[in-house]
Amino acid sequence: MGLRLRLVVTFTLVAVVATVTTGALTFREARTGVLQQSQDTVIEEFRHRVNTLVPNYRFPPDAAGLTSFANDVSRGGRSQQWRVLVAYRDKSATSVPGDTFGELSPAMRQSVRSRRATVFQRVSHDGHSALVVGMPVTFAGQYTTERPASGLEVYLTVPQQEEQGYVDALVTAIERATVPALVLAVLIALLAARGVLRPVRALRRATRSIAEGRLDTRLAVQGSDELADLSRTFNETAAALEGSVAELRRMEAGARRFAADVSHELRTPLAAMSAVTDVLDEDAAGLDEDTATAVRLISTETTKLAALVDDLMEISRFDAGAAALHLDEIDLAESLRRTLATRGWQDTVETGLPEPGELRGRVDPRRLDVVVANLVANALRHGAPPVRLDLHAQDGRAGRQAVVTVRDGGDGIPESVLPHVFDRFYKSAGARARSEGSGLGLSIATENVRLHGGTVRAANHPEGGAVFTVVLPLRPDDTEDRTPPPVKEDRT
């Protein structure tokens, strides 16, 4: 559920609870007031009427007197119809002949007989609401202030249709007021949600813009509430991030220029040194043993240094974005065989390649050669026999793809090393200060695969040994030479 919907639902629920609660309290108070006023008026009139009429009748009353007294009391209801029951011991009379007075409960009659006060009860009889009032008739004693009961009981029933009408009208009014209140609450909730979500949406757009690399994105700050503070904090964070990224880019560009300049400056002296070492290698057989060993060591290290400089120059071209593809339609299996033959690995590396002409694609032949050579050299150097090179085609999301795998029979790659095998200058044997490789071979292979729009990943084979998998898209024949956007390699 979105934030907007949650705000609207919350506001609506609050409005419903507030409206219902207010309506219920208002209804209860109004109903109580209406019934209380009607009840007090009826009881007061009833008590006054009885006290006024009692002195006019003989005591103890006979049946005719009871009937007459009941009729006289019933005439006291000017605005409502009074029904009166008068009882004395085992005799009774009503103001309406044949009236059974079904509203009168035995509990109320017992209360009237046992108390010296007026009692009342609101009852519902035959679907109608009525007020039942009962009181004992007392008379003053001759030598005491007490008012002993005379044994005469008077009961009154008053219908409450008018009061019920007031209550029903009140319920209708509350129901009619509830609907506009809820509509108004929803409108207020929508406006409030819009006011809250506007800066939130702006913050989301700005964050997405920052994630896309537009570090100069800023928010407009309005007001002084918490959302305005959040916008100011975002702007400060974005400014600090922009400054940090600019500084990092400047330092990175300087480092790239430095590496490229150093590599370029080293090429000339290295070329001269390589020429000298070639001459020394030819004459090493005629030198004494110590001198010959030194000459061979210098020659070997010069060759390694030249290879390192070449790798650094290649990496600097990748970093500067100057590396480009030169695509050509080639037989991929034949290209891989040529890579092995050129380096004398055809008898050392097992192969599983398609027949000539079976799998063709548009790739950069030189860069494919570099990728395969670096992966196979890495397997021969750090793995163990047998080393196997396989090639096959598969269908991917973007079309047909070529899959190149290089597997060795060694102990595999430690789990702690797997995430870093493609990092520059990373060597799994961290305790060694030097090794046969420069630590750039896998990085260069990765960059070349990325230029083709492919992926490369390293893993341990279930049967043992490390396996490197390269996936390259097989472009159609009319694909122009271009440098595709960078694709992150899969190192899982």
Side-chain angles (χ1 to χ4, degrees):
M1 184 184 293
L3 180 59
R4 181 187 183 89
L5 183 58
R6 289 201 301 269
L7 286 174
V8 172
V9 170
T10 301
F11 274 104
T12 304
L13 288 177
V14 171
V16 168
V17 173
T19 302
V20 171
T21 303
T22 303
L25 293 177
T26 302
F27 170 75
R28 188 183 68 176
E29 294 298 324
R31 179 176 179 274
T32 302
V34 169
L35 295 178
Q36 186 70 39
Q37 181 180 3
S38 173
Q39 167 190 303
D40 293 345
T41 301
V42 170
I43 293 175
E44 183 64 26
E45 290 181 358
F46 177 57
R47 185 185 293 114
H48 176 73
R49 184 72 176 173
V50 170
N51 291 334
T52 302
L53 294 176
V54 163
N56 300 329
Y57 288 88
R58 293 184 306 167
F59 192 85
D62 53 14
L66 290 176
T67 302
S68 177
F69 183 60
N71 291 330
D72 287 343
V73 173
S74 67
R75 296 187 184 96
R78 295 182 295 272
S79 59
Q80 295 174 320
Q81 181 182 3
W82 283 13
R83 293 165 46 230
V84 178
L85 168 67
V86 180
Y88 179 75
R89 295 182 181 176
D90 57 347
K91 295 182 293 183
S92 64
T94 62
S95 59
V96 178
D99 191 350
T100 59
F101 238 80
E103 301 90 342
L104 183 61
S105 64
M108 188 171 182
R109 296 200 66 169
Q110 181 61 33
S111 179
V112 170
R113 291 171 182 172
S114 61
R115 299 175 60 184
R116 300 292 184 267
T118 304
V119 297
F120 64 91
Q121 184 179 24
R122 283 191 292 269
V123 299
S124 179
H125 184 69
D126 293 336
H128 299 286
S129 178
L131 175 66
V132 180
V133 184
M135 60 176 293
V137 175
T138 60
F139 55 87
Q142 186 175 3
Y143 303 107
T144 177
T145 59
E146 294 182 358
R147 299 180 65 85
S150 63
L152 182 63
E153 304 165 8
V154 186
Y155 300 94
L156 168 67
T157 299
V158 181
Q160 292 191 307
Q161 287 88 348
E162 185 176 351
E163 289 79 1
Q164 188 63 41
Y166 291 151
V167 173
D168 294 340
L170 182 61
V171 172
T172 302
I174 292 175
E175 291 176 348
R176 291 177 179 176
T178 300
V179 175
L182 293 179
V183 173
L184 181 61
V186 172
L187 292 177
I188 294 175
L190 291 174
L191 293 176
R194 181 180 180 184
V196 172
L197 292 179
R198 186 185 297 111
V200 174
R201 285 194 293 266
L203 179 61
R204 181 182 61 186
R205 290 192 297 267
T207 305
R208 185 176 300 164
S209 179
I210 290 286
E212 293 172 353
R214 295 189 288 272
L215 301 181
D216 58 344
T217 304
R218 300 293 184 271
L219 291 174
V221 180
Q222 298 177 352
S224 59
D225 55 5
E226 289 80 0
L227 292 175
D229 292 339
L230 179 61
S231 299
R232 277 190 288 269
T233 302
F234 174 84
N235 290 340
E236 294 171 359
T237 304
L241 178 62
E242 184 179 17
S244 299
V245 171
E247 180 64 17
L248 289 174
R249 287 175 177 172
R250 185 188 65 79
M251 296 173 61
E252 183 181 8
R256 290 175 180 173
R257 284 194 303 270
F258 177 77
D261 293 343
V262 169
S263 301
H264 180 74
E265 293 298 328
L266 287 175
R267 290 177 69 89
T268 300
L270 279 175
M273 293 173 61
S274 297
V276 172
T277 55
D278 289 341
V279 175
L280 293 176
D281 284 338
E282 294 177 359
D283 298 337
L287 300 176
D288 60 87
E289 184 177 354
D290 293 340
T291 304
T293 302
V295 168
R296 293 189 183 94
L297 178 60
I298 291 174
S299 178
T300 302
E301 294 302 321
T302 301
T303 302
K304 290 183 180 180
L305 183 58
L308 174 60
V309 171
D310 290 339
D311 288 346
L312 288 174
M313 291 294 294
E314 186 74 6
I315 285 291
S316 66
R317 282 191 288 270
F318 285 121
D319 291 342
L325 287 176
H326 300 286
L327 300 178
D328 191 13
E329 176 77 17
I330 64 172
D331 185 331
L332 299 182
E334 186 61 28
S335 176
L336 267 58
R337 291 189 182 95
R338 191 180 304 114
T339 297
L340 298 179
T342 302
R343 292 161 177 82
W345 293 337
Q346 65 271 30
D347 297 329
T348 307
V349 178
E350 299 178 0
T351 59
L353 304 177
E355 294 296 327
E358 184 176 337
L359 181 57
R360 300 181 62 85
R362 287 179 60 81
V363 298
D364 188 323
R366 185 185 71 84
R367 297 190 183 278
L368 178 61
D369 176 77
V370 171
V371 170
V372 176
N374 283 338
L375 293 180
V376 173
N378 181 76
L380 292 172
R381 185 180 301 119
H382 300 292
V387 174
R388 182 176 179 83
L389 172 64
D390 292 285
L391 171 66
H392 68 274
Q394 69 177 18
D395 294 326
R397 295 181 180 178
R400 198 161 175 78
Q401 299 172 330
V403 181
V404 180
T405 59
V406 177
R407 177 188 170 193
D408 64 65
D411 297 330
I413 305 174
E415 293 298 327
S416 61
V417 175
L418 266 178
H420 307 288
V421 292
F422 296 104
D423 294 348
R424 297 176 183 179
F425 298 108
Y426 185 84
K427 299 178 182 179
S428 59
R432 294 181 300 166
R434 293 177 56 82
S435 67
E436 296 181 7
S438 66
L440 292 174
L442 293 181
S443 298
I444 292 175
T446 301
E447 296 293 344
N448 282 302
V449 172
R450 184 180 301 173
L451 277 177
H452 284 84
T455 60
V456 57
R457 64 178 181 271
N460 289 315
H461 198 276
E463 298 179 3
V467 57
F468 288 81
T469 304
V470 175
V471 179
L472 297 175
L474 295 177
R475 296 175 173 80
D477 294 342
D478 58 349
T479 302
E480 298 180 356
D481 290 0
R482 63 182 180 88
T483 300
V487 179
K488 293 183 178 180
E489 68 272 11
D490 185 356
R491 301 184 180 182
T492 59

